[in-house]
Amino acid sequence: MSCAATETTVPSINGERRRSWMSDWLPSWRPTSEAQLEEAEKNILSSLSSEYRDLYVPIGEGAVIRCLVMEPQEPSFPEKTPLVLIHGFGCGIVQFFKNLDHLHRDRRLYALDLPGFARSTRIPFPEEAEAVEAAFVSALERWREGVGLERFVLLGHSLGGFLSLSYSMTHPYRVRHLILDDPWGLVDPIAEEELQQKYSLLFRSILKIASRFKPFDWIRGTGPLGPHILRRSRRDLGRVFREDFLDYVYHSNVQNPTGEEGYFCMQHRFAWAKRPMLHRIGTDLNPDLPVSIIYGARSWVYSLDKSVMELFSGARPEGSYVGTYLVDDATHHVHAHKPEEFNETVREILEIVDSSADMTYCRAST
């Protein structure tokens, strides 16, 4: 299959979808459109001081992955390893707007919208967790082929961290260094007995009911009230990012929610993955692939199991490189809540990559 990235073609994101009288009627009930999503994104990216360009990379069957590309401010020879950013659930490129200017200083940077999210095509996904994961990974590999990358540093946040791990397991020699930004889906789901001991009946009841619905069903179902309800209920996102970030979140998630449907098939009670990564790291992840993991000290993901860094390191063979970083007072969106600390940490990791100190560690330890 021949793939070529283009800067001019801007295809519809919604792709093919099953039609019914309700799906024909509901979109007109929701105050959203692809144009409004694009405008909400532009409003936030206008705060960048660096130039960027858009690419729409074909991944087959009429679908594209949209990505943002930034050239190095201080080009080097030979060129340094490019950096690829993958966002978390319910978001897209914009979630890294506080980091983009700082992370492309001396290397090319790519930030992409996962298929099914934001401004990439809303491709259909299977209904089984392993197949959904494989579909995401296959799309990412077709994107890589389309932009012509050989090796790169891969940084994924939350769901993007889970998928970055999965991609690295399948295509280990494409990833020079893996950076996990508060990754979702590492630890086992909590046992029912422990759930009953730790949490109230009210919380367990809410969790049980909520687990039957996709995360943004409640926003889509409230029609024209959706934007107001989202702003009222997720004021935390407005504080961590900025107020109009919620406009972007709204328009990203009330349109054809295929990425959300794919995530729903992979998750267990929202917080956990059906196929947690800690059981797979030791056997499926190349022991020579260096990994760095960044958590926020106040992150809900980190709080699920505060021994996760130790467990992750223990799951890797002796001699494998694992760098661990805990950002004080940071929540799940470390990159937005504590951008200065996050950017400094990532640049520190990139300096380790540039000096091959991570690979030297692996060779010295084996």
Side-chain angles (χ1 to χ4, degrees), residues 230-231 234 237-238 242-250:
L230 182 62
R231 282 193 292 269
R234 294 308 310 267
L237 291 180
R242 53 190 250 185
E243 190 63 31
D244 59 356
F245 179 76
L246 290 169
D247 295 332
Y248 173 77
V249 172
Y250 176 80

Side-chain angles (χ1 to χ4, degrees), residues 143-329:
W143 172 84
R144 183 203 65 79
E145 292 173 347
V147 296
L149 280 177
E150 289 299 316
R151 296 192 81 196
F152 49 92
V153 176
L154 181 58
L155 186 157
H157 171 253
S158 195
L159 172 62
F162 180 91
L163 296 176
S164 295
L165 260 170
S166 185
Y167 178 88
S168 300
M169 292 174 178
T170 310
H171 304 282
Y173 299 106
R174 297 300 181 188
V175 181
R176 170 61 181 80
H177 193 113
L178 176 62
I179 304 175
L180 302 176
D181 169 15
D182 224 65
W184 168 85
L186 266 61
V187 299
D188 286 328
I190 191 170
E192 187 65 34
E193 299 77 17
E194 187 177 356
L195 189 68
Q196 292 183 7
Q197 291 173 2
K198 284 188 173 182
Y199 300 102
S200 67
L201 175 61
L202 175 60
F203 178 83
R204 297 198 309 270
S205 300
I206 293 172
L207 186 64
K208 185 174 182 179
I209 295 170
S211 297
R212 296 179 180 177
F213 301 93
K214 295 187 290 296
F216 284 94
D217 274 347
W218 60 287
I219 293 295
R220 286 185 292 270
T222 53
L225 296 177
H228 175 73
I229 293 173
L230 182 62
R231 282 193 292 269
R232 295 278 294 181
S233 62
R234 294 308 310 267
R235 289 175 176 171
D236 58 311
L237 291 180
R239 289 191 295 268
V240 169
F241 290 89
R242 53 190 250 185
E243 190 63 31
D244 59 356
F245 179 76
L246 290 169
D247 295 332
Y248 173 77
V249 172
Y250 176 80
H251 293 298
S252 292
N253 290 286
V254 297
Q255 300 185 43
N256 191 7
T258 64
E260 183 178 346
E261 290 166 354
Y263 164 78
F264 193 70
C265 294
M266 292 194 295
Q267 59 81 37
H268 175 75
R269 291 192 184 122
F270 294 127
W272 299 278
K274 289 180 180 176
R275 304 180 70 238
M277 283 293 179
L278 280 178
H279 295 290
R280 303 155 59 188
I281 290 168
T283 56
D284 296 347
L285 189 63
N286 182 357
D288 294 328
L289 174 62
V291 180
S292 293
I293 183 168
I294 305 170
Y295 273 106
R298 291 173 47 207
S299 164
W300 66 268
V301 174
Y302 181 65
S303 70
L304 293 177
D305 193 334
K306 292 190 176 181
S307 63
V308 67
M309 289 182 171
E310 181 180 342
L311 290 170
F312 190 99
S313 299
R316 302 213 69 195
E318 184 177 355
S320 297
Y321 180 94
V322 180
T324 57
Y325 304 83
L326 189 65
V327 180
D328 291 339
D329 202 37

